Amino acid sequence: MNSSRKIILSVAVPIPLNHLFDYLPPDNYDPQHLKTGIRIKVPFGKQSKIAVLIEVKSGDDKNTSKLKQVEAILDTEPLLSAKDIQLLNWAKQYYHHPIGDVFTSAFPTTLRKGKSSELKSIDYYLPTAEGTEVVESRLKNAPKQLALFKFLKSQPGAISSQEIALHFKLWRAPLKALIDKAYVCTSNQPVFDSTHLNITQQTPLIANAEQQTAIDSISTQLDQFAVHLLEGVTGSGKTEVYLQVIEQVLERNLQVLVLLPEITLTPQLEARFKQRFTVPIETYHSQHNENQRHAAWLKLQKGHSSILLGTRSALFTPLPRPGLIILDEEHDSSFKQQEGFRFSARDVAIVRAKVLNIPIILGSATPSLESLYNVDKKRYQLLRLPNRAGNAKPPSMSLLDIRNQSLHEGLSPPLIREIRKTLAKKQQVLLFLNRRGFAPTLICHSCGWVAQCSRCDANMVVHYKQQKLRCHHCASEQSLPRQCIACKSEELKPLGLGTERVENALHQLFPEHKSVRLDRDSTQRKGALKQHLDAINQGEVDIILGTQMLAKGHHFPNVTLVVLLDVDSGLFSIDFHAPERLAQLIIQVAGRAGRAEKKGRVIMQTRQPDHPLLNTLIHQGYQAFAQAALAERKNAQLPPYSYQALLRSLSHEKDIAFEFLLAVAELINQQTNGTLVLGPVAAPMAKRAGQFRFQLLLQHSKRKQLHQLLNWLMPEIAKLKLARKVRWSLDVDPIDLY
Ligand code: ADP
Ligand code: ZN
Ligand code: ZN
């Protein structure tokens, strides 16, 4: 038997196994199409799966006799470039995560399910050369057609029906009429007419000295990989710096990827980009449906669009002409994916910039300690915007000692006076409390019984308006009991403070002033958040009360007093990341104050007025705090001075969850590479949604050593019998230990 050479396709299949699978090509295939980065439909068990072609190899009859044929080749051109594949391979290696899962995460859901990667051709509309006056006189009796015609005339180029629909409710019939009369014609490209060949359609602001330094410094290094950390307080003009650097990248006909936390990717920001640039801009976030994300991804991938504004999930979007990556609010924990493929979009974005040899800008008012450490190590270049742009002054910050004060639902008398004074000046007040609901605890005054979640290691939260007890960690809820479950007493008392309770107090204390509460409960209804924000911006609201939701993205120009009702709860966490988070939160919330001409004030209520963290932060600023916090981390040999990986286990059976990690710890102890093994211990929340949770922390002063251990360990864990009885995960560089 003579053996002939055969082609083998190695593909990444989205299943939790960390290797590639080999297949044979289909019968009638075009060898031209077998390029790495295309999608392929393969038989897998009893199902079919959508896989990605990673490697084309050759084999002979011997090693191909058992291979199955692929079912279909889905793309004629690769969706992922060689650099994309290189990056995803790096991520798979670094996060020790199954390769198929990592590759799948690069695609929008539609492409994962096998939808065609051809872009539906879109029609664009533009007015014909017919003079405006002529058309105007002829359309006198057709006001809808005339309005649409004038609108199209005012555009820099041809626009899609989607864009028309944003401005007109009834447009189909008028548009058709205009086309029939030959006042409007269609084009299959968003062509620009020759008078609008500029990239910018709005003149940039005149940069101040610090902004100009930052812009120049980045602009001279556009041809190479460099990490620029742009540190600037809220309102210092970071976005303006981004826009001016982007302009230069667009002039080179390159593409820009802008990553933002979900909450700061607002329609206002999108509008600001679209006002500035004439190039096609796409957005990619959870508010878009599958088809919108599909189109945005492909428009970048095919090079039709030049800018992508997206959240973490947009990180891997392929760019045929990459020029710049920007990651705004780089300290924000939402850049870390906390389930499945647990990656840090910030860290991977930096590696992506390196692979592509392009610059990346990280922006923040409160840079992460890791990034500041990298500045110290000269790996990143620090650019600072210490002042607010325009006329806005920085707010003054002070601590308000509430020890021995009689509090009215969490508000101290001096604070109530300050709020009153501010309101009397017709200025707005913002109150921050990071706890929704009425009270975090319901306790029996007679016997001390506390309402607890039966499925979690947590107290039930009182939601008074809805007369409910709710667990904020699982979906459990029940109606508010009238009697103590233990002793039948009716003396049930809500203990502690939530936003709903403070809202009631505000109604009592300031009955003549309108207040609005912004938290997950009050903004659940679609459109509710926008409604509240509009009311605030139109000055219909005097007092704004809210949670975390207030800390980012929003601009409240008439707010001059910002109050943090309770900073103490953030001071005593067992997680070493907590002080950093708290300091960032304080600065971010403070940044909401006095953004316009009026100077703002920030008051923090505390029972720890001498706390070193708080004092360093308010008297010396965030940089001083960060240096002190880094010194503490160094002393304790905590990240970024060491490297961590956290193994978590989950099971309905407590013993199994524990024993699994115990077995893993024993495996590791056979090795002696100096990795510190802490645990297994119960997670800080030992039970959640009915499952027991344990964790094992691995730490090493050298990243390489830790990863060597993990390389060896992961396949060993997979061999453990217990591994099949628990749910477990690995979190490389964990950002919280919960
Ligand atoms: P950040 O992104 O740091 O919060 P922005 O770029 O949004 O800051 O700027 C804050 C405000 O200051 C915006 O209203 C912006 O138009 C204005 N601004 C920024 N740079 C300048 C400048 N050089 N001159 C005048 N106003 C500016
Ligand atoms: Zn009781
Ligand atoms: Zn629960």
Side-chain angles (χ1 to χ4, degrees):
M1 219 169 74
N2 64 343
S3 98
S4 60
R5 302 305 291 170
K6 291 217 168 140
I7 284 185
I8 301 176
L9 306 179
S10 280
V11 303
V13 184
I15 48 143
L17 285 178
N18 206 356
H19 56 83
L20 298 175
F21 291 84
D22 288 347
Y23 288 89
L24 295 173
D27 285 334
N28 303 309
Y29 70 94
D30 180 348
Q32 290 279 319
H33 289 168
L34 292 183
K35 296 178 196 150
T36 57
I38 60 170
R39 290 170 307 151
I40 286 182
K41 192 171 177 185
V42 296
F44 200 87
K46 290 195 179 103
Q47 301 167 306
S48 315
K49 299 237 178 228
I50 308 296
V52 184
L53 179 59
I54 306 295
E55 206 187 332
V56 182
K57 303 184 291 194
S58 70
D60 51 36
D61 285 342
K62 230 183 356 216
N63 53 16
T64 59
S65 59
K66 291 215 178 75
L67 296 184
K68 288 187 190 160
Q69 264 185 329
V70 308
E71 288 174 10
I73 290 172
L74 300 182
D75 303 307
T76 48
E77 287 298 320
L79 292 183
L80 302 176
S81 70
K83 295 258 159 115
D84 295 328
I85 293 176
Q86 185 187 342
L87 178 70
L88 290 161
N89 268 322
W90 173 86
K92 162 216 105 166
Q93 190 70 26
Y94 185 80
Y95 291 106
H96 303 268
H97 194 77
I99 184 166
D101 225 22
V102 171
F103 271 84
T104 304
S105 68
F107 295 107
T109 332
T110 47
L111 293 173
R112 290 178 204 175
K113 291 194 230 161
K115 183 170 170 167
S116 159
S117 58
E118 295 297 312
L119 260 182
K120 235 194 2 229
S121 76
I122 301 174
D123 276 338
Y124 295 88
Y125 301 93
L126 78 169
T128 48
E130 199 81 64
T132 313
E133 277 140 49
V134 179
V135 174
E136 226 165 306
S137 69
R138 289 192 202 147
L139 290 180
K140 258 201 312 271
N141 298 324
K144 288 206 181 93
Q145 290 175 38
L146 184 59
L148 181 55
F149 179 79
K150 284 186 170 168
F151 173 73
L152 292 173
K153 270 278 184 204
S154 71
Q155 296 301 307
I159 65 170
S160 65
S161 57
Q162 238 178 354
E163 280 171 277
I164 296 176
L166 290 178
H167 295 87
F168 293 89
K169 262 214 185 86
L170 293 168
W171 54 272
R172 281 179 208 274
L175 180 65
K176 185 165 182 310
L178 288 170
I179 295 170
D180 290 346
K181 291 174 191 162
Y183 295 148
V184 167
C185 59
T186 57
S187 143
N188 54 11
Q189 276 182 60
V191 283
F192 300 104
D193 71 31
S194 55
T195 51
H196 287 89
L197 272 179
N198 290 335
I199 286 161
T200 52
Q201 54 188 349
Q202 178 196 53
T203 334
L205 297 170
I206 297 172
N208 62 34
E210 289 96 2
Q211 283 174 319
Q212 197 58 53
T213 307
I215 294 163
D216 292 345
S217 166
I218 302 167
S219 306
T220 50
Q221 306 173 63
L222 286 181
D223 294 321
Q224 68 200 56
F225 169 66
V227 187
H228 306 275
L229 179 63
L230 182 61
E231 179 185 8
V233 295
T234 329
S236 60
K238 293 186 293 296
T239 310
E240 185 60 33
V241 170
Y242 302 154
L243 291 170
Q244 297 199 22
V245 176
I246 289 173
E247 186 182 334
Q248 305 190 32
V249 176
L250 294 177
E251 272 165 8
R252 301 166 167 227
N253 196 27
L254 299 177
Q255 293 171 300
V256 181
L257 173 64
V258 184
L259 297 171
L260 302 128
E262 183 87 36
I263 199 161
T264 58
L265 181 42
T266 57
Q268 289 89 314
L269 184 83
E270 187 183 338
R272 206 167 151 190
F273 272 71
K274 289 190 169 163
Q275 273 157 21
R276 179 68 58 93
F277 302 118
T278 56
V279 300
I281 298 174
E282 309 302 326
T283 53
Y284 195 100
H285 52 76
S286 69
Q287 252 114 67
H288 280 342
N289 64 32
E290 277 189 3
N291 291 334
Q292 288 169 314
R293 273 180 276 169
H294 177 82
W297 194 93
L298 285 173
K299 283 184 194 167
L300 267 295
Q301 193 268 344
K302 294 180 191 299
H304 296 182
S305 288
S306 303
I307 300 178
L308 181 62
L309 300 173
T311 51
R312 181 182 74 217
S313 56
L315 166 67
F316 294 105
T317 310
L319 308 168
R321 307 186 311 275
L324 172 69
I325 301 175
I326 293 172
L327 194 129
D328 194 31
E329 307 285 354
E330 67 90 26
H331 65 279
D332 198 285
S333 51
S334 70
F335 282 120
K336 177 74 190 274
Q337 182 143 306
Q338 297 282 30
E339 59 194 19
F341 172 28
R342 288 160 210 260
F343 65 94
S344 154
R346 180 192 62 210
D347 297 350
V348 179
I350 292 167
V351 176
R352 185 165 189 201
K354 193 167 183 179
V355 167
L356 296 172
N357 196 31
I358 59 171
I360 175 167
I361 309 175
L362 308 178
S364 176
T366 51
S368 62
L369 296 185
E370 290 85 14
S371 292
L372 291 171
Y373 169 81
N374 282 318
V375 169
D376 287 345
K377 292 268 164 212
K378 306 259 187 298
R379 292 183 196 133
Y380 299 176
Q381 305 176 19
L382 181 65
L383 300 162
R384 301 189 68 187
L385 305 178
N387 304 309
R388 288 188 171 191
N391 299 322
K393 304 268 171 307
S396 66
M397 301 207 338
S398 58
L399 294 174
L400 176 57
D401 183 359
I402 53 168
R403 285 174 299 181
N404 302 315
Q405 299 255 17
S406 66
L407 299 180
H408 182 90
E409 306 289 39
L411 294 117
S412 63
L415 178 65
I416 294 170
R417 281 197 296 278
E418 288 301 326
I419 295 176
R420 220 166 239 132
K421 272 198 257 172
T422 309
L423 294 174
K425 286 189 272 184
K426 300 249 178 304
Q427 295 169 356
Q428 289 172 321
V429 177
L430 185 150
L431 299 174
F432 176 83
L433 178 67
N434 213 7
R435 212 177 298 120
R436 65 198 166 87
F438 186 84
T441 309
L442 183 70
I443 191 165
C444 171
H445 194 56
S446 308
C447 76
W449 171 86
V450 168
Q452 280 179 319
C453 177
S454 58
R455 306 174 67 223
C456 304
D457 228 5
N459 293 341
M460 296 293 271
V461 177
V462 182
H463 286 254
Y464 208 76
K465 259 200 193 128
Q466 287 104 350
Q467 290 287 299
K468 288 260 162 45
L469 282 180
R470 287 205 183 119
C471 173
H472 285 188
H473 303 282
C474 69
S476 306
E477 69 169 35
Q478 63 190 72
S479 50
L480 198 61
R482 306 260 162 261
Q483 292 182 335
C484 170
I485 306 296
C487 75
K488 303 278 179 284
S489 150
E490 293 187 359
E491 294 275 303
L492 291 176
K493 295 264 185 280
L495 197 68
L497 211 56
T499 45
E500 201 189 314
R501 189 170 201 167
V502 176
E503 186 182 32
N504 286 358
L506 293 173
H507 289 322
Q508 288 167 11
L509 287 165
F510 311 103
E512 68 283 17
H513 289 283
K514 188 160 182 327
S515 56
V516 61
R517 169 162 64 92
L518 291 183
D519 58 26
R520 216 189 306 161
D521 299 319
S522 73
T523 55
Q524 236 164 21
R525 192 168 44 79
K526 202 169 161 52
L529 177 63
K530 184 172 183 308
Q531 216 172 11
H532 289 318
L533 292 173
D534 288 346
I536 294 168
N537 288 325
Q538 277 150 27
E540 290 160 22
V541 170
D542 305 310
I543 307 174
I544 308 155
L545 163 70
T547 54
Q548 189 91 20
M549 201 175 264
L550 286 178
K552 301 173 216 169
H554 308 299
H555 298 224
F556 303 122
N558 203 33
V559 167
T560 57
L561 176 62
V562 168
V563 179
L564 290 98
L565 287 171
D566 174 21
V567 290
D568 295 348
S569 50
L571 292 174
F572 301 100
S573 170
I574 54 164
D575 191 336
F576 72 89
H577 298 95
E580 177 185 3
R581 286 294 141 62
L582 178 64
Q584 289 165 344
L585 185 69
I586 290 174
I587 300 292
Q588 299 282 340
V589 176
R592 305 303 111 202
R595 307 238 338 180
E597 305 74 46
K598 297 166 209 130
K599 189 175 164 72
R601 295 186 55 196
V602 181
I603 297 176
M604 290 174 252
Q605 293 198 131
T606 178
R607 292 183 180 82
Q608 303 279 325
D610 302 318
H611 197 284
L613 159 67
L614 292 176
N615 281 283
T616 308
L617 186 65
I618 67 167
H619 297 302
Q620 297 171 52
Y622 183 79
Q623 269 283 352
F625 156 79
Q627 292 309 325
L630 274 172
E632 275 183 21
R633 297 259 188 108
K634 188 174 185 181
N635 271 334
Q637 277 302 296
L638 286 167
Y641 299 91
S642 64
Y643 301 90
Q644 293 184 336
L646 187 67
L647 279 148
R648 296 185 176 91
S649 67
L650 281 183
S651 171
H652 289 284
E653 286 173 70
K654 193 173 178 178
D655 293 346
I656 292 185
F658 176 74
E659 277 161 22
F660 164 70
L661 287 181
L662 196 63
V664 175
E666 277 164 12
L667 273 177
I668 300 169
N669 287 332
Q670 296 168 13
Q671 301 286 313
T672 46
N673 89 333
T675 302
L676 198 62
V677 184
L678 300 157
V681 292
M685 185 178 293
K687 190 177 155 204
R688 185 168 181 167
Q691 294 201 303
F692 293 91
R693 310 160 76 231
F694 284 85
Q695 54 193 35
L696 184 69
L697 184 67
L698 311 181
Q699 184 178 311
H700 202 293
S701 58
K702 299 252 168 9
R703 176 176 267 154
K704 203 169 150 207
Q705 306 273 317
L706 178 64
H707 281 262
Q708 267 170 4
L709 177 80
L710 292 173
N711 284 337
W712 169 83
L713 181 65
M714 296 304 278
E716 292 298 314
I717 294 180
K719 288 184 212 153
L720 291 174
K721 267 207 198 93
L722 278 168
R724 263 160 277 145
K725 296 189 179 163
V726 296
R727 283 183 53 201
W728 66 277
S729 63
L730 174 72
D731 190 352
V732 175
D733 306 328
I735 62 163
D736 70 50
L737 301 180
Y738 278 74

